[in-house]
Amino acid sequence: MSVTDSPAARLQALFEGHRLTPTQRRIAHSMVRRAADVPFLSSVELAELAGVSQPSVTRFAVALGFDGYPALRRHLREVAPAEPAADTTSYNEYQQAVEAEIENLRHLAVLLADPSPVERAGRLLAASRPLPVLGLRAAASQAYGFSYFAAKVHPDVRLLNEGGTMLHDRIDAAVSAGASALLCFALPRHPREVVDGLTYAKQSGLSVVTVADSAFAPVAKVSDLLLPAAVGTGLAFDTACAPMLLGRVLLEAMCDDLPGAQVRLEEFDTRAAARGLFVE
């Protein structure tokens, strides 16, 4: 089976085009993450998995055009047959967390089978002068990592890692300097000020590109282009290998559309060697 025909991809296609409430987006997100198991879950089990009520699951199925959850489950069993799963019963909790992240990366590979969203994002980011990169709280390290590398090829990258009223001020400054797009990394738990900041950025005329943990994340409604990459939840604190990798993929796409990117990299390497920056 190809990556574009995986259970997760088929579920994602089922949800596309529907206007879902925040609760329904939460159910959809939980289903995508457990795509292989969902066709065999009861409505009560799915409700527990998503942290919602059983009636919410029923309303979700109706919103997708089914008579109820049993009809949705029958449909899922027809279009998403069971696949042999790896035996992880002997794994300890740390190994299970790693296995979950591997599955997140596989899901990202499914999404990247269609490179057009990332390529479009790369063009938007490459064309913006300056390029503001937003990431608060849990997402701050993702934004910093992207900005660190992007600054080696992009002439003006501005890291936005402070919330509050300063965030609006810095968005204003970027717009005044000629910015046309903003890149945001948004990870759970989603700060309200990120949603407010993206709303302000859109109102200011910026195209918002967002890397988030799900296509149904709260920031989806204030993003022009959302690229999903799931986080791991098996440990006390979420793990974000897939969002980090997607950030590097975005960097690659941006470089492809950035004139002189290779020249800038070579110039940096020359300066770094002259200054003895790195121990080889």
Side-chain angles (χ1 to χ4, degrees):
M1 181 178 62
S2 69
V3 293
T4 57
D5 195 35
S6 71
R10 288 192 290 265
L11 275 174
Q12 194 78 42
L14 176 64
F15 303 143
E16 288 176 355
H18 294 279
R19 294 182 63 85
L20 303 177
T21 67
T23 296
Q24 291 166 352
R25 290 197 299 270
R26 184 172 183 174
I27 298 170
H29 177 45
S30 298
M31 291 176 70
V32 170
R33 295 193 60 187
R34 294 283 297 276
D37 302 326
V38 162
F40 309 97
L41 298 179
S42 68
S43 60
V44 173
E45 290 171 327
L46 179 56
E48 291 178 352
L49 176 65
V52 302
S53 66
Q54 189 275 336
S56 294
V57 172
T58 300
R59 290 192 291 270
F60 171 73
V62 172
L64 294 178
F66 297 93
D67 292 337
Y69 181 72
L72 170 59
R73 188 169 61 175
R74 284 194 300 271
H75 175 76
L76 295 179
R77 288 179 176 179
E78 294 171 359
V79 302
E83 297 178 308
D87 181 11
T88 61
T89 55
S90 63
Y91 288 176
N92 62 42
E93 61 179 311
Y94 310 126
Q95 291 174 301
Q96 290 172 5
V98 172
E99 287 295 322
E101 281 291 57
I102 291 172
E103 185 58 34
N104 287 341
L105 292 173
R106 289 197 183 102
H107 186 213
L108 179 59
V110 170
L111 298 178
L112 292 176
D114 176 11
S116 57
V118 168
E119 291 171 347
R120 179 188 167 202
R123 288 192 295 271
L124 288 170
L125 303 182
S128 185
R129 303 284 196 285
L131 172 60
V133 180
L134 171 63
L136 302 181
R137 294 185 180 267
S141 61
Q142 304 294 327
Y144 176 84
F146 181 94
S147 299
Y148 172 80
F149 290 110
K152 299 199 173 5
V153 293
H154 192 289
D156 191 354
V157 178
R158 303 188 182 185
L159 176 62
L160 309 183
N161 58 357
E162 295 179 352
T165 58
M166 285 291 295
L167 177 57
H168 287 196
D169 291 346
R170 298 187 68 186
I171 290 173
D172 284 340
V175 171
S176 296
S180 57
L182 177 146
L183 172 63
C184 174
F185 288 87
L187 302 178
R189 300 170 64 183
H190 294 277
R192 184 181 301 277
E193 57 192 339
V194 170
V195 177
D196 293 342
L198 294 186
T199 300
Y200 186 77
K202 283 177 62 67
Q203 292 172 347
S204 301
L206 295 178
S207 296
V208 174
V209 177
T210 303
V211 173
D213 58 300
S214 165
F216 310 103
V219 292
K221 61 185 178 182
V222 287
S223 301
D224 295 294
L225 177 56
L226 187 140
L227 305 171
V231 301
T233 58
L235 301 176
F237 298 99
D238 290 345
T239 51
C241 295
M244 182 193 70
L245 180 55
L246 182 51
R248 299 300 187 268
V249 170
L250 269 177
L251 274 169
E252 187 78 7
M254 185 182 74
C255 287
D256 289 342
D257 275 277
L258 200 59
Q262 186 59 42
V263 172
R264 287 178 179 272
L265 278 176
E266 292 173 358
E267 290 175 344
F268 172 78
D269 285 341
T270 299
R271 292 193 301 270
R275 295 164 58 192
L277 284 182
F278 305 112
V279 178
E280 300 298 339

